Amino acid sequence: MDAKSLIVAAHKSAQRLHDAVVEPASASGRQVYKVGGRIFAIVSARPHGATVTVKADPVRGEILRQQYAEIVPDDHLNRRHWISISAGDGVTEELVDEEVRESYRLVRSTLPSNGRATDGSKQRRLTSRQVQPFARRLAASLPGVSHGRPFVEKLDVYKVRDKVFLIVTDDPNERIITVKVAPEQRDALSDRFQSVSAGRYLDKDHWISISAGPGITDGVVTDLVEGSYRLVLKTIRKADRPDGSEAI
């Protein structure tokens, strides 16, 4: 992807997000996108090169930096939470779209109107009795979701357009949820959280199971459930996706 295509892809992705506001371009060619008054993307068309700056979960950001030479920590914002994407052979329109939408979702989740923590450092740690109810409520609130017990009675299965993205195990001795992840995220998440393990029921390269434990907060469970929903959504034709699902 060349510099012009990078800029076009970023603008296209940001402009179609709900409640996204763009500020007039500066003299240097820098354009800022916000939601709720907070920045989620900076698109820069500068003489020395085009960049797209977005927010990323630290683990996700580390994985992306390892995968793509064109992705580096941003020098002007918090390097732990913001990344810059430059033009290059490894960058695709799909990648740019995914990272702009992921940044939008992260920033939007910090807005007080969403009823969530306004500071990621103050997220609520979930107990073994809270993880599953929290995941259920969150999943049920997503567009086009249905759930039932098509496999066995103890497995409460959540689907979008008939495709599984969350399994809640109804067993007092095994209070886990199971979600889909990108293969490269599986090991990083297992290293970061001791209560994350290979998916109990499905392809262990693409699914993980989570129980309460150190670091498992409402924010982490939100990221995992919504991330699973988005991964499954990618397998559904755009024409068949539920209304409102693109903003998740």
Side-chain angles (χ1 to χ4, degrees):
M1 174 177 280
D2 59 23
K4 182 178 179 180
S5 298
L6 175 72
I7 297 299
V8 170
H11 284 314
K12 180 179 175 183
S13 298
Q15 288 169 356
R16 68 185 181 209
L17 294 170
H18 180 65
D19 287 340
V21 175
V22 59
E23 295 184 348
S26 66
S28 63
R30 181 174 178 267
Q31 202 150 28
V32 175
Y33 285 88
K34 296 181 178 181
V35 59
R38 299 184 183 182
I39 296 171
F40 72 89
I42 302 172
V43 182
S44 300
R46 298 173 181 170
H48 61 274
T51 60
V52 177
T53 300
V54 292
K55 193 170 189 177
D57 171 85
V59 172
R60 182 185 183 90
E62 182 179 347
I63 292 170
L64 288 168
R65 291 194 295 272
Q66 291 174 0
Q67 286 184 305
Y68 300 96
E70 299 89 349
I71 297 180
V72 298
D74 186 76
D75 289 330
H76 304 289
L77 298 171
N78 186 321
R79 292 171 61 88
R80 178 172 165 79
H81 295 279
W82 291 82
I83 57 175
S84 286
I85 306 171
S86 300
D89 293 339
V91 176
T92 64
E93 183 175 349
E94 182 181 13
L95 173 66
V96 175
D97 179 58
E98 176 71 16
E99 297 316 312
V100 169
R101 290 194 298 111
E102 174 70 8
S103 179
Y104 167 87
R105 185 191 63 78
L106 281 173
V107 173
R108 188 167 176 264
S109 73
T110 68
L111 300 178
S113 60
N114 284 348
R116 296 177 182 171
T118 57
D119 182 345
S121 65
K122 297 180 181 178
Q123 292 177 358
R124 177 172 60 106
R125 179 173 172 177
L126 299 176
T127 68
S128 61
R129 292 182 179 275
Q130 293 173 325
V131 170
Q132 291 179 321
F134 183 85
R136 280 189 167 103
R137 289 193 300 271
L138 176 61
S141 72
L142 299 174
V145 170
S146 62
H147 74 104
R149 301 175 189 271
F151 306 135
V152 295
E153 184 60 27
K154 77 171 186 176
L155 300 182
D156 190 12
V157 179
Y158 288 75
K159 300 180 180 182
V160 54
R161 292 293 187 260
D162 208 34
K163 293 184 181 290
V164 178
F165 72 93
L166 169 69
I167 299 175
V168 180
T169 303
D170 281 332
D171 184 339
N173 297 315
E174 192 177 36
R175 290 182 172 142
I176 62 172
I177 62 172
T178 299
V179 296
K180 191 171 188 177
V181 295
E184 62 270 17
Q185 289 182 295
R186 183 198 57 190
D187 291 339
L189 289 165
S190 296
D191 290 342
R192 183 179 178 188
F193 303 109
Q194 66 183 44
S195 58
V196 169
S197 59
R200 197 64 54 90
Y201 314 105
L202 301 168
D203 178 355
K204 297 185 185 301
D205 286 335
H206 295 86
W207 293 81
I208 58 171
S209 292
I210 308 104
S211 60
I216 302 300
T217 64
D218 52 359
V220 169
V221 173
T222 296
D223 287 346
L224 293 174
V225 172
E226 290 187 350
S228 181
Y229 177 91
R230 291 194 302 276
L231 282 174
V232 171
L233 203 66
K234 285 183 178 180
T235 68
I236 302 170
R237 290 192 318 157
K238 286 190 176 183
D240 295 333
R241 294 175 186 174
D243 291 342
S245 60
E246 291 297 324
I248 301 302

